[in-house]
Amino acid sequence: MKVELFVPCFIDQLYPETAFNTIRLLEKVGCEVLYNPDQTCCGQPAYNAGFWDDAKQVGKKFLEDFSGDHVIISPSASCTGMVRNSYSDLFANSADSHQCHKIQQQVMEISDFLVNVLKKDYFGAELEGVGVYHDSCSALRECKIKDEPRKLLSKVLGLEMLEVKDSETCCGFGGSFAVKFEGISAAMAEQKVRNAMALNADYIISTDSSCLLQLQAYIDKHKLPIQTMHLVDVLTTGWGNI
């Protein structure tokens, strides 16, 4: 099965290993991964900040960078949600509406694709420790993803997954929200991290790198004995032990 890979800005710039692990994971299940190096951004930062004209310009390039002939896989529910939902605002009744609709039907977050399309949930991953899963706002509310990541994580050997208090509460990132309302944003991150530490968790796992960036920043600032991991990175850990 051929799939197109969409690597979001955050992952490209800050977590490139997650992008490579996404390819490893997709190839492990037999997919042929197509990657267009000309791709850039989906336009979400500009869109959320209210600069819709700029977002539309970036989004138009996105529509041109992907054929729409194959499923488009992204290790980000946030960016997937942007394309699936917000592009309807940007490209309604425009010359690009047909291509937009075509792309929207094809773009998927990776856990959704693995569980609901490929019907795969075990990849031979091993990770010792206790983990909690953080439901990002975009995954939960825009992409309706909740059980899929948990199903995948339940099959990771050595990883004990616990349900954390307020797992569906926002981490406080919210793009420009973290900049405009720094105090509130930091308090929200603190709550998420402290709830995880109350369970003696070793890992906070999510499918959105922006959430992980927010939480890891709080962890690093306070030198706390816990770390964040992207779902994809967990699922590709320990393969050498097979």
Side-chain angles (χ1 to χ4, degrees):
M1 182 177 184
K2 290 184 178 180
V3 298
E4 296 184 70
L5 177 64
F6 165 37
V7 179
C9 305
F10 264 92
I11 291 177
D12 179 60
Q13 296 295 314
L14 301 175
Y15 302 100
E17 191 61 31
T18 300
F20 288 111
N21 284 337
T22 300
I23 297 174
R24 293 175 64 210
L25 191 57
L26 290 170
E27 289 182 341
K28 191 175 182 69
V29 295
C31 292
E32 178 183 346
V33 182
L34 308 176
Y35 175 72
N36 180 357
D38 291 332
Q39 64 178 270
T40 54
C41 177
C42 66
Q44 183 178 188
Y47 180 84
N48 288 346
F51 298 98
W52 281 29
D53 289 341
D54 295 319
K56 187 173 183 178
Q57 184 176 355
V58 176
K60 181 176 175 63
K61 183 181 186 308
F62 183 96
L63 296 179
E64 295 169 351
D65 288 338
F66 294 90
S67 69
D69 296 331
H70 313 286
V71 178
I72 303 166
I73 305 301
S74 177
S76 169
S78 176
C79 296
T80 299
M82 169 68 186
V83 176
R84 276 189 180 177
N85 302 301
S86 301
Y87 273 27
S88 297
D89 295 326
L90 295 178
F91 297 104
N93 302 316
S94 72
D96 300 299
S97 59
H98 176 74
Q99 177 67 1
C100 175
H101 182 70
K102 184 179 179 182
I103 295 294
Q104 286 178 311
Q105 296 303 305
Q106 294 285 47
V107 68
M108 295 188 74
E109 184 273 334
I110 190 165
S111 72
D112 186 14
F113 176 70
L114 293 173
V115 173
N116 297 320
V117 176
L118 295 187
K119 309 299 182 183
K120 302 282 188 181
D121 58 16
Y122 175 71
F123 310 97
E126 295 184 18
L127 180 65
E128 291 290 334
V130 176
V132 297
Y133 182 75
H134 162 62
D135 291 284
S136 76
C137 297
S138 296
L140 192 65
R141 296 168 178 83
E142 293 189 36
C143 299
K144 312 303 180 186
I145 294 169
K146 182 175 178 65
D147 295 332
E148 292 84 354
R150 290 172 169 81
K151 186 173 184 179
L152 294 168
L153 291 168
S154 71
K155 299 299 179 67
V156 176
L157 184 64
L159 181 63
E160 179 186 1
M161 290 299 299
L162 301 177
E163 279 297 319
V164 68
K165 180 182 177 182
D166 298 329
S167 66
E168 299 182 359
T169 301
C170 179
C171 69
F173 181 70
S176 58
F177 178 87
V179 178
K180 294 180 178 179
F181 304 99
E182 180 182 357
I184 300 174
S185 173
M188 295 170 75
E190 178 182 14
Q191 182 183 49
K192 298 294 294 188
V193 173
R194 297 296 177 181
N195 284 344
M197 293 186 67
L199 296 175
N200 295 315
D202 301 293
Y203 309 102
I204 301 175
I205 304 165
S206 185
T207 186
D208 268 301
S209 58
S210 54
C211 298
L212 300 178
L213 177 72
Q214 164 83 350
L215 299 176
Q216 190 64 51
Y218 179 84
I219 291 168
D220 291 345
K221 181 178 180 180
H222 297 279
K223 298 180 173 59
L224 301 175
I226 190 170
Q227 70 178 87
T228 60
M229 287 188 73
H230 193 284
L231 174 68
V232 165
D233 298 326
V234 174
L235 298 179
T236 52
T237 296
W239 283 2
N241 298 326
I242 299 175

